[in-house]
Amino acid sequence: MAVYYSIRPQLAEIPAPENEDSQSSLPHIIIMTPEEAANGTFLQTNMYAKLEHSQEVRFCKAEAHKDFLYGTFVIPPKSNNREKIAFRYLIAKDRIVFIEDGGFVKHMIDKMQQAILRENPGIGFFFSDFLDMLISEDLLYLTEIENQIAHLEDEVLAGTLENFNHKIMACRRKILVCSHYYLQLSDISNILQQNDHGFFTRNELASFRLFSERVGRLHEEALMLREYSTQLREVYQAQIDIRQNKIMKILTVVTTIFLPLTLIVGWYGMNFTGMPELHWRYGYPFVIILSLVSIGICVWSIYRKRIRK
């Protein structure tokens, strides 16, 4: 069932008019389902039938048509238990029509009823307030992502490197989605500011410019977080390199210590019958002592060099 609101100093829900084509004394908002939009006489006669509305909504946009503005919104999920939200909208001279399957738009307008009061209401002010409501909690969401990256940084510096790539890529995907979302909102604001149809007053255009500035700051915040995540990946790679260097250092020390033993084994492993040690009574203990002395000299040399450093 379509829901109607009149744009007054405070939004108010009103009953549906008997004649859908009738002009209201006040600009108003309509929320309807795609089925109702497909069967609505006003939309089909004036605008909606001209649009390719059967396609899936994939991104935010605004299009200037002859007598109206048409666009779509795709709100990215900002929590683990929520999917993306998609809906369409049309802006005419005296009304704004939202077309959605769920109740997201109605929920947003109900919040606006309680929080927003304007002395000079209009469709432009309503739509700018609606846009502001869409991004009202985005700074907190970006702050949560920043805290997640900072927690990953603490784990990396503490030597906990398990599942790091999976975690950091999840954060980077969120940042990328937000960055694209803000660019699309900025494009919508720019098209609204062109005011090709003359729907909006000068003050309403100023409110769209303010919204564009807010979106720009959010986009800059998203870019900063992407740079932060890139720097963290470099720190992670540096930690991996340090760990590998430590392992290689240990292997080098072990190889250095046992290299003289390898030489002794190779020397005495040759079948030289004329070697005196092979017929000497203390030849075997002599080789043992020689091996221990060689190991001791190597260990002492490594220890001495470490002390000098």
Side-chain angles (χ1 to χ4, degrees):
M1 184 69 181
V3 182
Y4 290 75
Y5 294 87
S6 65
I7 301 179
R8 301 173 181 175
Q10 188 171 16
L11 293 172
E13 187 173 348
I14 58 176
E18 295 182 1
N19 183 4
E20 188 180 2
D21 295 328
S22 63
Q23 296 288 333
S24 173
S25 59
L26 292 173
H28 56 281
I29 312 300
I30 309 173
I31 305 174
M32 57 179 59
T33 64
E35 292 76 14
E36 292 171 335
N39 298 323
T41 57
F42 173 78
L43 290 178
Q44 294 303 317
T45 303
N46 294 275
M47 52 187 74
Y48 197 59
K50 304 175 184 179
L51 303 174
E52 294 291 338
H53 55 270
S54 60
Q55 299 177 356
E56 182 184 357
V57 178
R58 297 182 181 275
F59 50 88
C60 304
K61 68 176 182 178
E63 300 174 352
H65 292 260
K66 182 178 180 181
D67 300 317
F68 62 94
L69 288 167
Y70 168 76
T72 58
F73 278 106
V74 176
I75 314 300
K78 298 171 185 175
S79 61
N80 295 329
N81 56 354
R82 203 189 82 176
E83 297 180 353
K84 70 176 183 180
I85 297 169
F87 58 92
R88 309 170 192 271
Y89 67 93
L90 296 100
I91 303 177
K93 184 177 182 180
D94 63 333
R95 69 191 72 188
I96 299 179
V97 182
F98 291 101
I99 305 166
E100 66 164 349
D101 287 322
F104 175 78
V105 175
K106 187 176 187 309
H107 174 69
M108 297 293 290
I109 294 179
D110 290 341
K111 290 175 63 177
M112 294 172 62
Q113 280 185 285
Q114 302 173 5
I116 298 175
L117 180 65
R118 283 192 178 273
E119 296 181 359
N120 300 313
I123 60 172
F125 281 129
F126 164 81
F127 202 68
S128 67
D129 292 337
F130 182 81
L131 293 173
D132 286 335
M133 188 68 69
L134 291 180
I135 63 172
S136 60
E137 299 179 355
D138 284 33
L139 185 58
L140 294 176
Y141 178 65
L142 294 177
T143 303
E144 291 179 1
I145 297 177
E146 183 178 4
N147 292 335
Q148 293 175 9
I149 298 176
H151 181 69
L152 287 177
E153 183 178 18
D154 293 337
E155 290 185 351
V156 169
L157 295 178
T160 305
L161 307 179
E162 296 181 1
N163 298 324
F164 172 83
N165 285 325
H166 176 75
K167 295 177 182 178
I168 196 64
M169 288 306 299
C171 291
R172 288 178 64 86
R173 280 194 294 268
K174 294 178 183 178
I175 295 170
L176 184 62
V177 169
C178 288
S179 178
H180 290 169
Y181 174 56
Y182 299 138
L183 286 177
Q184 293 164 17
L185 290 181
S186 180
D187 290 339
I188 290 176
S189 178
N190 292 335
I191 293 175
L192 293 173
Q193 291 178 55
Q194 292 177 7
N195 198 21
D196 294 334
H197 304 87
F199 292 160
F200 312 121
T201 65
R202 180 179 300 177
N203 292 333
E204 289 173 336
L205 294 176
S207 66
F208 289 135
R209 285 194 293 272
L210 290 175
F211 169 76
S212 182
E213 293 176 0
R214 295 189 186 99
V215 171
R217 289 192 291 270
L218 289 172
H219 182 248
E220 291 176 358
E221 182 73 15
L223 293 179
M224 184 198 71
L225 290 178
R226 186 171 65 179
E227 181 66 22
Y228 185 17
S229 64
T230 301
Q231 293 176 357
L232 181 56
R233 292 191 67 181
E234 293 175 356
V235 173
Y236 168 76
Q237 187 61 45
Q239 292 294 104
I240 292 293
D241 293 340
I242 292 173
R243 179 173 293 187
Q244 290 178 346
N245 289 338
K246 289 181 179 179
I247 294 174
M248 292 303 298
K249 185 177 181 180
I250 294 173
L251 293 176
T252 302
V253 170
V254 172
T255 303
T256 302
I257 291 175
F258 288 95
L259 185 60
L261 301 183
T262 305
L263 176 60
I264 294 173
V265 170
W267 181 264
Y268 285 95
M270 292 185 293
N271 296 321
F272 291 163
T273 57
M275 295 179 65
E277 293 87 352
L278 298 178
H279 306 284
W280 186 29
R281 179 179 178 182
Y282 300 103
Y284 191 70
F286 170 76
V287 173
I288 295 176
I289 295 173
L290 180 61
S291 300
L292 294 176
V293 171
S294 301
I295 294 174
I297 293 173
C298 293
V299 172
W300 177 78
S301 300
I302 294 171
Y303 178 74
R304 186 178 179 183
K305 291 182 179 179
R306 183 175 298 180
I307 291 178
R308 288 180 178 178
K309 290 182 180 180

